[in-house]
Amino acid sequence: MGRKGKKEKKGRGAEKTAAKLEKKVSKRSRKEEEDLEALIAHFQTLDAAKTQIVETPCPPPSPRLHASLSAHPEKDELILFGGEYFNGQKTFMYNDLYTYNIRKDAWTRVEIPNPPPRRCAHQAVVLPQGGGQLWIFGGEFASPDGEQFYHYKDLWVLHLATKTWEQVRSSGGPSGRSGHRMVVWKRQLVLFGGFHESTRDYIYYNDVHAFNLDTFTWSKLSPSGAGPTPRSGCQMSVTPQGSIVIYGGYSKQRVKKDVDRGTQHSDMFLLQPEDGREGKWTWTRINPVGAKPTPRSGFSVAVTPNHQTLLFGGVCDEEEEESLEGDFLNDLHFYDAAKNRWFAGQLKGPKSEKRKRRRGKTTEPESADGQECGGAGAQGPVEVVREVVTEDGTVVTIRQTLAAPGSAGRPPSDEEDSPDNAGGPVVGPSPRSNAMLAIKHGRLYLYGGMFEAGDRQVTLGDLYCLDLHKMQEWTALVEMDPGAQEWLEDTDSEEDSSEGESAEGGDEDSGAEAG
């Protein structure tokens, strides 16, 4: 009895500490967010001048991060909203909306009156009702210098049939945040985690909220059992059995003054509704088997037509007290909830053996001890390193992970192709974090993301497609040369106004400095 009492006391103590920290962060960030509200209001005034729906055929969107990419529930279209871009000196925020017509391979910019304010790191989910709806919650707005942040707690719906935005006002929802995750579960939007950051402080969340799509009301869930620790950027998906899976994510904590330590989580939990008890949920930690992804953050997630959860890329950070280095990834993994098993997703390659083999692939790679890696039917991925020299002379090193020939490690299928049909290695999207994924008609679409080369951040704007049924090779729909992207050093403060002209929506973006 005494031991149990101590445990309960400790739990209450942790709750009090978290509440104090949230109050402290909230107080310090309030002034900061008030400063940014004026800038956000300025942009909304510009948006208010648009009173008609205007659809304009256009080139592919400019490179951006932390946007949302969603598949239209009724049309052969992808929907891209929001995001951010950093050119080395200045942060640009977006609230523009693009559609990509899959059959025509064509982009359209869609201007709709009264859109949500500019943001990134929000969450978007699609519902099929009423001709299709795109629901968006939260996200953040960054000041042009990237030093201050405003975190949204608003909920919006885009009615796809009528092309109208609507802000859904309902009290009792989650606090302002970004990096959270949101899924559709029955007739509810269920939201988990995220973080809130100000100039000096930050807090990560592990709370769960539900928005009822029939009553338009928020409720905070209080699941029983030990759940995930606070985190952002995790995997959140609904299983065929009606549970919700949470995997991985990222959080950081202050270890001493001005020194933070990040954690790349690799644990997995199941959030299950209790039988016969409406609104009651339970957390259970699960330990899947199979080829688990290596610990990472910034990975991207989508759900396949056969209800497996797909995970792509990310970055594995190696943190020292004063430095942070990351290995960027472009591997695929699949999680099968019915079997509680991870599978490594390797491509079979093109059908024909006559395809010209890529340079440098005629010999088997060697391991660190000088022995050949793998054998017949057991070849692993191959890493190829290439260097790109940018306009300013910076050498950007790009590491490509090439899937080995053969189908070992793929998600199991009813038909296994013979080794004779497996072609050579296939180059797919370059290693990156924070890519945007969407799946339509069994095809995975991957847009953008970023990687780092020294102090330089390269934001990508390419688009790839992969047929998940065939699992043969990626198709490049929009290609991009990372070396051609302009990067401004901190000292060149006079040049960023001209850069604003070239960024998408640049005329309005360049007004950010005035705020």
Side-chain angles (χ1 to χ4, degrees):
M1 289 294 288
R3 190 174 293 171
K4 184 181 177 186
K6 273 187 183 176
K7 192 174 182 182
E8 286 176 354
K9 223 179 225 180
K10 188 177 177 184
R12 285 197 296 270
E15 284 176 18
K16 281 183 182 176
T17 304
K20 277 184 186 173
L21 179 60
E22 183 160 8
K23 193 174 180 183
K24 182 181 172 188
V25 171
S26 176
K27 190 175 179 182
R28 284 183 176 176
S29 64
R30 198 172 298 129
K31 174 68 171 72
E32 190 176 301
E33 298 203 337
E34 283 172 3
D35 294 341
L36 290 179
E37 278 175 357
L39 185 55
I40 294 168
H42 163 71
F43 284 134
Q44 284 185 285
T45 302
L46 295 173
D47 288 333
K50 300 168 185 173
T51 57
Q52 293 183 316
I53 299 168
V54 180
E55 299 185 52
T56 311
C58 64
S62 59
R64 60 192 62 199
L65 273 180
H66 302 128
S68 56
L69 184 68
S70 310
H72 195 296
E74 293 189 355
K75 296 182 180 179
D76 291 335
E77 282 184 357
L78 305 180
I79 306 162
L80 181 74
F81 172 75
E84 65 175 327
Y85 173 71
F86 179 59
N87 68 3
Q89 282 183 358
K90 185 175 170 187
T91 300
F92 299 87
M93 305 297 302
Y94 303 116
N95 66 343
D96 42 10
L97 183 78
Y98 293 88
T99 60
Y100 174 70
N101 186 307
I102 293 170
R103 292 185 185 276
K104 295 180 181 178
D105 185 26
W107 288 93
T108 301
R109 179 170 176 162
V110 186
E111 295 180 63
I112 299 174
N114 303 309
R118 298 162 190 241
R119 69 189 61 206
C120 65
H122 53 279
Q123 278 288 279
V125 297
V126 169
L127 292 174
Q129 68 191 54
Q133 297 177 342
L134 178 75
W135 287 79
I136 287 172
F137 177 84
E140 70 185 45
F141 178 93
S143 60
D145 63 6
E147 296 292 328
Q148 294 178 295
F149 306 95
Y150 181 93
H151 294 266
Y152 296 103
K153 57 179 179 180
D154 50 356
L155 180 66
W156 292 77
V157 57
L158 173 62
H159 300 280
L160 298 173
T162 57
K163 294 185 172 65
T164 52
W165 283 108
E166 176 190 355
Q167 183 173 2
V168 179
R169 302 179 189 275
S170 177
S171 60
S175 56
R177 64 189 65 197
S178 55
H180 49 288
R181 293 294 179 259
M182 185 168 75
V183 295
V184 179
W185 183 85
K186 296 185 177 179
R187 290 290 298 156
Q188 296 183 77
L189 305 178
V190 180
L191 184 148
F192 169 80
F195 73 98
H196 184 289
E197 184 175 16
S198 64
T199 306
R200 292 192 293 169
D201 294 299
Y202 52 82
I203 182 169
Y204 285 78
Y205 299 107
N206 63 346
D207 48 356
V208 187
H209 297 261
F211 180 78
N212 188 303
L213 291 161
D214 294 318
T215 62
F216 277 27
T217 54
W218 282 105
S219 58
K220 184 174 181 180
L221 306 183
S222 301
S224 58
T229 54
R231 62 192 65 193
S232 70
C234 61
Q235 167 193 319
M236 185 180 190
S237 54
V238 178
T239 71
Q241 296 78 28
S243 301
I244 294 173
V245 169
I246 300 288
Y247 166 76
Y250 178 83
S251 65
K252 62 182 180 180
Q253 60 185 93
R254 192 144 290 164
V255 291
K256 60 184 182 184
K257 190 177 180 183
D258 298 328
V259 178
D260 300 320
R261 178 173 294 140
T263 300
Q264 295 176 124
H265 300 279
S266 56
D267 46 2
M268 200 168 207
F269 295 84
L270 209 55
L271 180 61
Q272 295 170 290
E274 294 184 10
D275 288 337
R277 301 185 67 194
E278 190 166 341
K280 298 293 183 182
W281 295 73
T282 304
W283 282 116
T284 307
R285 181 161 181 172
I286 56 177
N287 294 297
V289 296
K292 300 175 189 176
T294 54
R296 65 191 67 194
S297 59
F299 54 77
S300 308
V301 173
V303 177
T304 69
N306 63 351
H307 306 294
Q308 292 182 345
T309 301
L310 176 153
L311 183 151
F312 171 85
V315 57
C316 179
D317 287 331
E318 296 173 12
E319 285 195 47
E320 301 293 333
E321 276 200 0
E322 301 299 327
S323 67
L324 175 66
E325 288 191 6
D327 288 328
F328 288 83
L329 306 163
N330 63 346
D331 50 351
L332 275 171
H333 294 265
F334 295 83
Y335 174 69
D336 188 326
K339 298 177 180 176
N340 193 26
R341 175 180 286 273
W342 282 103
F343 299 93
Q346 291 189 3
L347 307 187
K348 292 183 282 186
K351 289 278 185 183
S352 175
E353 270 291 343
K354 294 176 184 176
R355 180 184 166 104
K356 186 178 177 182
R357 297 184 69 82
R358 296 188 181 272
R359 199 175 115 193
K361 295 293 129 212
T362 53
T363 57
E364 291 292 335
E366 292 192 354
S367 64
D369 58 6
Q371 296 180 349
E372 287 188 351
C373 293
Q379 298 174 36
V382 178
E383 184 177 75
V384 173
V385 180
R386 66 187 178 98
E387 292 183 344
V388 176
V389 181
T390 63
E391 291 176 347
D392 62 3
T394 305
V395 178
V396 178
T397 302
I398 301 177
R399 286 181 166 81
Q400 299 267 163
T401 303
L402 305 182
S407 57
R410 275 191 304 113
S413 62
D414 295 334
E415 293 183 12
E416 292 292 336
D417 281 6
S418 68
D420 294 336
N421 287 334
V426 179
V427 177
S430 60
R432 64 191 67 194
S433 68
N434 300 297
M436 287 135 272
L437 305 183
I439 293 176
K440 186 72 178 177
H441 298 317
R443 287 180 168 83
L444 170 66
Y445 293 87
L446 181 151
Y447 171 79
M450 63 85 72
F451 68 90
E452 293 168 348
D455 294 333
R456 183 187 180 101
Q457 174 180 304
V458 180
T459 304
L460 300 164
D462 45 7
L463 179 66
Y464 287 86
C465 174
L466 175 65
D467 189 321
L468 295 173
H469 299 303
K470 295 178 180 177
M471 284 295 288
Q472 287 182 350
E473 59 183 332
W474 288 95
T475 301
L477 301 173
V478 177
E479 295 187 90
M480 175 184 170
D481 177 10
Q485 190 170 100
E486 186 176 16
W487 180 258
L488 303 179
E489 299 299 332
D490 287 337
T491 52
D492 303 333
S493 57
E494 298 300 315
E495 295 180 21
D496 55 353
S497 60
S498 61
E499 171 67 14
E501 298 296 323
S502 64
E504 200 66 40
D507 292 340
E508 295 168 14
D509 286 284
S510 58
E513 289 181 314

